[in-house]
Amino acid sequence: MFAEDVPLARIAQEVGTPVYVYSRATLERHARVFMEAMQQAGDVDVAFALKSNPNIAVLKVLSRMGMGADVVSSGELDRALAAGMTADRIVFSGVGKTDAEMSHALDTAIGQFNIESEEEGRDLAALAAARGQRAPATLRVNPDVDAGTHAKISTGKAENKFGVAISDAPGIFARLAAMPGLNLRGVALHIGSLIADLAPMEAAFTRVGRLLVELRAAGLTITHVDLGGGLGVPYRPHDVLPSPFEYGAMVARVTQDWDVKLMFEPGRVICGNAGVLLTRVIRVKPGATHPFVIVDAAMNDLARPALYDAYHHFEPVVASRAAMTANIVGPVCESGDTFATAREIGGVVQGDLAVFRTAGAYGATMASTYNSRAMVPEVLVDGARYAVVADRIAASTIMGAERVPDWL
């Protein structure tokens, strides 16, 4: 198995395992396909959702492809700027923006704030007015649409913490639009992640279209609508999901009379299938019903299976053994450190290399040092060459940042 023209075995030998491996060519192809597909909808802007993969080298690739940035913290804002993404192409989302974060974003002159509540809007308006500024902003609405995805990544239902109820939006919008510190120019929404069916998105967008008519009838100016992200990717070998082109065609049809600039915040659909987690089999242990394939990657390196019961396809780097049915687990001292149960896989033995596929999104960015394990490194491949774009941070380095008070 290769990443572009680089054998994964070479990366394992020279960098060690576990390690995330990304393909520049795949990142660029996914970015190009998505942006071209969205052109069907007219005047558009595309901001990559940093939370899915904030590695600066990855961001540099996407910046050069013409993408802006969707950020949810000051740290992500600084990463976007460090990668060359210009401030006016940065959108600040997230339900818990602090005054310090909003002040930093105002000082940086970002392109847009997605306001999550009337209270947040008032705080932002006061901070901007004190600087003699008008913060460009949209009001995020909650359309109460079930995206049909995992409960922990659903964001558009009434009981979710994001946005304001769409029924309350006209009053809140009018009050915030009257504040001198805000240039409230539109609305935003995002109903969830890993969406496999366009119908919930279309239902949410249709509700927003009706809201635009109501806001304009009240004399309010609407020039921008942020449709968020959430388009899913295939994790299983035979998954079939809507393509970016199909998504763009739906958006173009639903929004054809809106007369606004549309904004999109893709993440997983750009980087998910541009990366793998490369791991090595520590040993194979007999089990009560199926053997345990114990690999050196763990839930601290790839948290999605433990958090969401997520599926990641597991494959040997060299497919040379008979298939087997096994439980795939990591070395962390938790039963939750399980990647697969009773999974049919290509046969492996101690020392073999394998990959977890579709690991380019919500992989390294969610990693931790639980069990005092090292922080997993990241590699970017470009044709026949590769570079380590995030070091393996040893447990001893992390321990060196801790302090023991003199009274101990």
Side-chain angles (χ1 to χ4, degrees):
M1 190 180 293
F2 287 68
E4 299 191 23
D5 298 323
V6 178
L8 289 181
R10 175 185 161 199
I11 294 175
Q13 180 179 3
E14 296 174 0
V15 181
T17 57
V19 57
Y20 280 94
V21 182
Y22 310 128
S23 161
R24 175 178 179 172
T26 307
L27 287 167
E28 291 178 340
R29 183 176 70 252
H30 289 177
R32 180 170 55 254
V33 167
F34 187 89
M35 290 190 292
E36 289 176 353
M38 296 311 104
Q39 295 298 322
Q40 298 174 90
D43 187 13
V44 303
D45 196 7
V46 179
F48 176 69
L50 260 71
K51 60 182 175 288
S52 62
N53 189 325
N55 183 278
I56 294 176
V58 169
L59 301 182
K60 178 76 76 173
V61 171
L62 299 178
S63 175
R64 290 181 174 179
M65 292 297 295
M67 284 194 158
D70 167 53
V71 306
V72 294
S73 70
S74 282
E76 287 191 349
L77 170 56
D78 291 341
R79 281 181 171 271
L81 294 171
M85 293 166 161
T86 59
D88 64 344
R89 300 282 311 287
I90 295 177
V91 178
F92 202 145
S93 304
V95 71
K97 306 178 193 71
T98 65
D99 283 0
E101 288 180 314
M102 291 189 290
S103 295
H104 178 43
L106 286 167
D107 293 341
T108 308
I110 68 165
Q112 180 171 295
F113 293 85
N114 288 346
I115 296 171
E116 295 269 359
S117 66
E118 186 169 3
E119 294 79 4
E120 179 189 306
R122 289 198 299 262
D123 290 345
L124 175 60
L127 291 168
R131 289 167 165 75
Q133 296 176 282
R134 294 182 70 219
T138 64
L139 177 65
R140 179 170 177 176
V141 298
N142 186 321
D144 194 19
V145 170
D146 187 348
T149 187
H150 192 282
K152 290 185 179 179
I153 51 177
S154 177
T155 60
K157 294 191 290 184
E159 61 267 29
N160 297 141
K161 68 180 181 179
F162 299 95
V164 303
I166 198 165
S167 58
D168 296 335
I172 294 173
F173 195 103
R175 290 189 292 274
L176 291 179
M179 293 186 173
L182 288 182
N183 172 19
L184 193 58
R185 60 191 191 180
V187 298
L189 74 157
H190 176 73
I191 64 170
S193 186
L194 193 50
I195 297 172
D197 182 0
L198 294 182
M201 285 183 160
E202 182 167 353
F205 299 166
T206 300
R207 291 186 184 184
V208 167
R210 292 195 292 265
L211 174 64
L212 299 186
V213 172
E214 184 176 354
L215 293 174
R216 284 170 169 158
L220 298 164
T221 300
I222 305 293
T223 59
H224 291 67
V225 174
D226 188 333
L227 296 178
L231 196 61
V233 299
Y235 279 90
R236 299 172 187 266
H238 304 296
D239 282 350
V240 178
L241 281 86
S243 70
F245 184 85
E246 291 169 324
Y247 173 60
M250 180 272 287
V251 170
R253 175 170 47 79
V254 174
T255 67
Q256 59 184 324
D257 298 323
W258 285 12
D259 189 25
V260 296
K261 185 181 187 72
L262 292 174
M263 307 186 73
F264 300 90
E265 301 168 2
R268 189 191 315 264
V269 72
I270 304 299
C271 60
N273 273 309
V276 298
L277 176 57
L278 177 60
T279 186
R280 190 179 294 277
V281 177
I282 297 174
R283 62 183 58 89
V284 179
K285 171 184 173 180
T289 53
H290 303 290
F292 291 94
V293 173
I294 305 167
V295 297
D296 62 3
M299 63 184 288
N300 70 292
D301 304 307
L302 179 60
R304 295 188 68 256
L307 282 177
Y308 313 127
D309 296 319
Y311 180 101
H312 283 271
H313 195 59
F314 180 85
E315 277 185 66
V317 166
V318 177
S320 60
R321 307 182 195 284
M324 61 190 293
T325 301
N327 305 317
I328 307 166
V329 300
V332 157
C333 195
E334 294 270 357
S335 293
D337 186 21
T338 299
F339 295 106
T341 302
R343 173 88 60 87
E344 184 171 340
I345 61 172
V348 292
V349 298
Q350 182 173 349
D352 282 354
L353 293 171
V355 296
F356 292 102
R357 287 194 174 273
T358 321
Y362 303 102
T365 185
M366 297 176 73
S368 74
T369 59
Y370 185 46
N371 277 197
S372 292
R373 286 168 52 85
M375 186 64 79
V376 64
E378 299 165 80
V379 161
L380 180 66
V381 176
D382 179 25
R385 61 185 177 179
Y386 78 86
V388 176
V389 294
D391 292 337
R392 189 184 309 277
I393 303 176
S396 58
T397 301
I398 297 163
M399 187 169 63
E402 299 176 17
R403 299 288 178 266
V404 178
D406 55 11
W407 40 266
L408 288 178

